[in-house]
Amino acid sequence: MPAKPAPIKKAVKKEAKKEVKKEEPAPAPAPEPAPEPAPEPAPEAPPAEAPPAEAPPAEAPPAEAPPAEAPPAEAPKAPTPPPPEAAAEAPPAEEVKAPTPPPPAEPTSEPLELVVEDVNDTSVTIQWRPPATIGNAGLDGYTVECCKEGTGDWKAVNEQLTVSCRYVIKNQTTGDHLNIRVVAVNAGGRSPPAVLPDAVLVREVVDRPKIHLPRILRQRYVVNVGEKINLVIPFIGKPQPVVTWTKDGQPLDTKRVNIRNTDRDSIFFIRTSERADSGVYEMCVKVDSFEDKSQITLQIIELPGPPASVKIVDTWGFNVALEWTEPKDNGNTTITGYTIQKADKKTGDWFTVLEHYHRMNATISDLIMGNTYSFRVFSENKCGISESATVTKATATIQKTGIDYKPTVYKEHDFSEAPKFTTPMQDRSTTVGYSTKLLCSVRGFPKPKIMWMKNQMIIGDDPKFRQINNQGICSLEIRKPGNFDGGVYSCRATNEHGEATVSCKLEVKQPVIAEADKK
């Protein structure tokens, strides 16, 4: 009986040694959470590993006593050794697998690529990219801070965290220089800030000025005297461009020309135009050192004056030759033509003989013999015809002269011609009871007489036949021909210069009767 528990003791000793060996590395974490008795075996173990291993077997004899005192209970106690092993193993397992506290939350790295997207006179728009390292604590948002250059008074411009990587800093003062930075925030705190390298000037970005001159103003702009001029010339530029006008390189006369400028266009206005307003007007828009210029050529025109002089150069037969010179006043535009009129001395009424005439001389023809004429000339330009005309000082008289009219003798053409058939008759066939026509055409002068014949016998006025001759077209209608109306038909044309005949053969057939109809 005592021999059986001996091996169990050895196993217990081995397990105890294993427990001691397992407990040796445990003293490092033990001082923090372990109870007070735990640190005592730790100092004893290092000086001598064997004595503490022997101590448990010294305590074991009292454990042997119970089995010696109760031999009959050995059988049921034999399976009890495993629970002590489990009990011995359980405590060290809890000490090794004790839950470790979570690592402390850490802030993210700084935001990346902070740049300025847009700047105007009251706001600055910035954008950036998320941090390269965010960590387990995640990212709650960003704080945008700014301060004026030269001060360290950083202030957050967003009351709440923004999750967007773009932000508009509003309500800024034009002309301020701002230092801007962005900080990422999470449970671990604030990240290192991403700072713009240079201060940002709050001002409008310069947009080069540009004049959009209307197409109608890209060439000479022509207006009649007295008309109103109202021109609108749009332009662009940022900030608001400075607009200036000049005329022929000199400042404008504000008494004659009114200029009104807006942020998008310039209005050029003249209430009543005069010829003195003609010239080259230049518009200039300027933003800082950038500028754009456009020119408008304005031409104010009016009716021209009359030609300087008009004279009669020569008179012969029913013709008069005139010459004149250009007008002294062309109405501020080129002369496009002249109008010449004549007047008979007897009536004094003026009649136009030439209009829009471009030369400086003209010959007036078809004048009436025995009459005396005066002439006058008007000038003409784009605006119209001159109000007055220059009249010839001298007059032209068409002299009466004897005229012998000998008409040309023309030889009369002889149209006489013997009859000739231009369209012959073709052989034809018809059916009994069905009318048919024979046609031909003939020409000749004098008009030939037409005669129809059947088998060389003149048909005459037989009512069975109908004869028609119209403009040389001859036709013979045979009404409901019978079996004996077939034969050779001829048409004879005769006049004093000769005769002609044309013939054809007509065949009259019996109608075809079906077999059913015969029965």
Side-chain angles (χ1 to χ4, degrees), residues 5-82:
I8 295 171
K9 292 178 180 180
K10 291 179 180 179
V12 173
K13 291 179 180 181
K14 291 179 180 180
E15 289 172 1
K17 291 179 180 181
K18 291 179 181 179
E19 289 175 4
V20 173
K21 291 179 180 180
K22 289 179 181 179
E23 289 175 358
E24 289 176 3
E32 295 178 3
E36 296 177 357
E40 293 178 1
E44 294 175 5
E49 293 180 358
E54 293 173 358
E59 296 174 357
E64 293 175 1
E69 292 175 0
E74 289 177 1
K77 288 181 180 179
T80 56

Side-chain angles (χ1 to χ4, degrees), residues 56-251:
E59 296 174 357
E64 293 175 1
E69 292 175 0
E74 289 177 1
K77 288 181 180 179
T80 56
E85 295 174 4
E89 292 176 359
E94 291 178 359
E95 293 178 1
V96 173
K97 296 181 180 180
T100 58
E106 295 182 357
T108 68
S109 62
E110 65 177 14
L112 304 176
E113 300 180 12
L114 176 62
V115 294
V116 178
E117 180 182 331
D118 188 26
V119 179
N120 58 30
D121 54 347
T122 59
S123 65
V124 179
T125 303
I126 59 174
Q127 62 180 4
W128 61 90
R129 292 183 59 191
T133 304
I134 295 179
N136 297 330
L139 177 63
D140 296 339
Y142 302 93
T143 298
V144 180
E145 300 176 346
C146 68
C147 72
K148 292 185 179 181
E149 187 179 23
T151 66
D153 186 14
W154 292 95
K155 293 182 180 179
V157 295
N158 54 333
E159 297 178 358
Q160 297 180 353
L161 296 180
T162 177
V163 296
S164 174
C165 291
R166 182 179 182 274
Y167 192 81
V168 181
I169 305 173
K170 300 180 180 179
N171 302 325
Q172 300 301 312
T173 304
T174 303
D176 284 353
H177 292 261
L178 298 179
N179 291 320
I180 301 173
R181 68 183 184 185
V182 178
V183 178
V185 179
N186 65 1
R190 292 163 54 93
S191 71
V195 184
L196 286 176
D198 300 319
V200 180
L201 175 61
V202 181
R203 55 163 297 179
E204 286 187 294
V205 176
V206 174
D207 188 3
R208 287 178 177 269
K210 178 67 177 178
I211 299 174
H212 297 289
L213 194 65
R215 186 183 299 273
I216 193 174
L217 299 179
R218 296 176 188 175
Q219 54 188 357
R220 188 180 299 271
Y221 188 71
V222 181
V223 181
N224 293 339
V225 170
E227 292 185 357
K228 178 176 64 177
I229 301 175
N230 189 13
L231 306 178
V232 179
I233 298 93
F235 59 83
I236 58 174
K238 192 177 180 182
Q240 175 68 31
V242 178
V243 182
T244 57
W245 283 85
T246 58
K247 177 189 176 184
D248 298 328
Q250 301 297 325

Side-chain angles (χ1 to χ4, degrees), residues 329-516:
D329 181 13
N330 61 3
N332 199 30
T333 184
T334 57
I335 299 296
T336 58
Y338 299 93
T339 298
I340 299 96
Q341 295 181 346
K342 68 178 180 179
D344 187 358
K345 189 176 181 180
K346 295 178 181 179
T347 61
D349 296 333
W350 292 96
F351 298 93
T352 300
V353 292
L354 292 173
E355 284 185 303
H356 312 302
Y357 190 77
H358 298 284
R359 296 182 180 178
M360 305 292 291
N361 54 68
T363 299
I364 311 302
S365 302
D366 300 330
L367 301 176
I368 299 174
M369 183 175 56
N371 288 353
T372 301
Y373 293 93
S374 295
F375 301 92
R376 65 181 183 182
V377 181
F378 292 88
S379 302
E380 186 178 356
N381 65 7
K382 294 179 181 179
C383 194
I385 193 170
S386 61
E387 296 178 350
S388 60
T390 302
V391 183
T392 56
K393 296 180 180 180
T395 58
T397 302
I398 307 303
Q399 300 294 333
K400 293 181 179 181
T401 56
I403 299 176
D404 295 332
Y405 176 67
K406 295 180 180 181
T408 305
V409 178
Y410 296 97
K411 185 179 179 180
E412 190 172 346
H413 182 70
D414 185 9
F415 292 97
S416 298
E417 183 182 5
K420 180 181 179 182
F421 283 94
T422 57
T423 303
M425 291 191 296
Q426 302 292 333
D427 294 342
R428 301 195 60 181
S429 63
T430 186
T431 305
V432 173
Y434 289 88
S435 299
T436 186
K437 275 187 179 183
L438 302 178
L439 296 173
C440 63
S441 62
V442 66
R443 72 181 183 185
F445 190 83
K447 183 179 180 181
K449 181 181 179 181
I450 304 300
M451 184 183 300
W452 286 92
M453 296 179 292
K454 174 187 176 185
N455 298 329
Q456 301 300 322
M457 299 296 292
I458 298 174
I459 293 175
D461 296 331
D462 189 342
K464 189 176 182 64
F465 302 93
R466 183 183 179 191
Q467 305 175 34
I468 299 175
N469 181 12
N470 184 19
Q471 299 294 328
I473 306 299
C474 305
S475 65
L476 176 64
E477 182 181 357
I478 306 170
R479 299 174 179 175
K480 296 184 179 180
N483 293 330
F484 301 100
D485 289 328
V488 177
Y489 287 82
S490 302
C491 180
R492 178 181 294 174
T494 308
N495 69 2
E496 61 185 25
H497 297 288
E499 68 177 26
T501 303
V502 65
S503 302
C504 74
K505 184 178 180 180
L506 176 65
E507 181 182 0
V508 180
K509 298 179 180 180
Q510 291 293 334
V512 179
I513 301 174
E515 294 296 332

